[in-house]
Structure formats: structure tokens, C-alpha cells
Amino acid sequence: MAYTHRFTDGSPCNLTPGKVVCVGRNYAEHAKELNNPIPSSPLLFMKPASALAELGEPLQIPWGLGTCHHELELALLIGRPLKGADAAEVMSAVVGYGLALDLTLRDLQSSLKSKGHPWERAKAFDGACPLSGFLPAGAVTDWRGLQLRLRRNGQPQQQGNCRDMLFPLDELLSNISQTFTLSPGDVVITGTPPGVGPLYPGDVLKAEIVGLLSVDTRVAHLAASGETP
């Protein structure tokens, strides 16, 4: 089934899915856990619309390419164009807040990085960005204090608060808009807190914006196992 944006309250969402602008290393503790330097300005990369998938459906991972890590992130749905925008104005362009998994083929990414190559093969494959439905912007009264949490098989895996971001949401969107025009239907995923790790067939995940949004999902079994995802 083709991915479409949707709001969690059932209100219509007529925005056509566009590009996904991603922010790397926006939590210092995550940068440290991968032995990466902490950036002095936002580290940006992109995923195409074909990477979008429904978070609540079984996660389809391209097995046979090494480990695939989960990276839980806050996702922002853009509702009007942003180009060269000031930080004071950008949050009014956000029409929805949701959850994303930035699925990452970690072994492949490490190999590409060691050769000085781009990361797209490890980050932008089909289904590499599962998204939840979006909370309408009006349902979020304090975006600065949003807390993310991920459990895998019932065990705490990732947890972080937007206050821990190196570059807060308004600064991020302003910075991104200086390089990439953000169009209605585009999504910005804003970095992952520490605790990333590998996924395995049959894993059960619970992703949350604590107190506001919760999504259960699981990792599809290997097709070769003969089991139905």
C-alpha cells in the first residue's frame, strides 16, 4: 500500500508526500556512542519520498546487507513553503508532529563512510523512513519539551527530550531552509537520541512521544523463513 500522510485525529491531510530532510548527530550522546565528532552546525542528508512507509505496519528490512539499526526521531510535517526563513517564523509552517524511524544499514554505512562515499545506500532505501500519523500542530503546546521513547521487546532502548538537541527545532528549520526549500508535504526528521541498535526478525517495538502519541510495530520475518510478515 502506498504511503500517505495522515493526522491522528482523523482530520483530512491533503499534502502529497515529498522529500525527507534528515538531521544527523543532533544529540551529543548519540554522536558519542558511535564515536562521531559533535557537529558545529547541522549535519543534513535526505531520503526520497519512496523511503516513506507506515510505521504501524511490519517493518520491511533489506536483509543480507549487514545490521539494520533503529533510530527513533521526532518528525515534522511541513505545511507551507520555507525558503531562507528566519527562526522566529518557521514553527508556524509545521502542521504536524509525529514519529519516524531512520532505519540505517549500519555496516554498509560504515563501509561507505570509510571510503568517503555518500550514505544514501544505507539510509535512503525503499521503506527506510517509517512514519506515524501526525499530531495536528495545535495538539502540541510545548515543542521544546517533547520526550521520545522507544522500547524493543518490552525493554527500554532509546529515550531523549527535545531540550537535549544540539540544534533546537526552530534553528534547524531555519538552517535547512537556507539550502533546501521546504515544500508542503515535506518531512523533517530531527535527530536520534542515544540507544540505537540492531533490529532482528520478529522484534516488537513501541515508539512514543510520551503522553501524546504511541505506535506499536514489529520487524517482519525473513521471507526465506516461510513465515508471513
Side-chain angles (χ1 to χ4, degrees), residues 78-138:
I78 303 302
R80 64 171 175 81
L82 288 175
K83 180 177 175 64
D86 186 86
E89 65 179 284
V90 292
M91 297 309 294
S92 65
V94 176
V95 295
Y97 295 80
L99 292 161
L101 284 181
D102 173 11
L103 296 179
T104 303
L105 297 171
R106 188 70 72 200
D107 297 332
L108 179 56
Q109 183 194 34
S110 296
S111 175
L112 292 167
K113 287 169 64 176
S114 72
K115 299 171 185 175
H117 293 175
W119 303 349
E120 277 78 3
R121 292 184 185 274
K123 287 275 195 178
F125 54 89
D126 288 357
C129 190
L131 290 176
S132 71
F134 287 91
L135 293 161

Side-chain angles (χ1 to χ4, degrees), residues 112-190:
L112 292 167
K113 287 169 64 176
S114 72
K115 299 171 185 175
H117 293 175
W119 303 349
E120 277 78 3
R121 292 184 185 274
K123 287 275 195 178
F125 54 89
D126 288 357
C129 190
L131 290 176
S132 71
F134 287 91
L135 293 161
V140 176
T141 57
D142 179 15
W143 53 263
R144 294 174 179 83
L146 294 176
Q147 185 172 351
L148 305 181
R149 183 165 62 199
L150 181 72
R151 293 180 180 270
R152 184 171 69 90
N153 300 326
Q155 299 301 310
Q157 196 76 39
Q158 288 189 266
Q159 185 162 309
N161 191 292
C162 285
R163 298 189 194 281
D164 300 327
M165 290 181 173
L166 295 173
F167 309 102
L169 301 184
D170 51 357
E171 291 182 21
L172 275 180
L173 292 181
S174 175
N175 181 279
I176 291 167
S177 77
Q178 309 305 315
T179 301
F180 307 116
T181 296
L182 291 171
S183 301
D186 286 351
V187 173
V188 176
I189 63 174
T190 55

Side-chain angles (χ1 to χ4, degrees), residues 6 59 160:
R6 60 183 177 84
L59 304 180

Side-chain angles (χ1 to χ4, degrees), residues 207-222:
E208 299 175 84
I209 301 176
V210 177
L212 293 174
L213 179 63
S214 178
V215 181
D216 295 314
T217 192
R218 61 188 178 89
V219 181
H221 288 286
L222 289 168

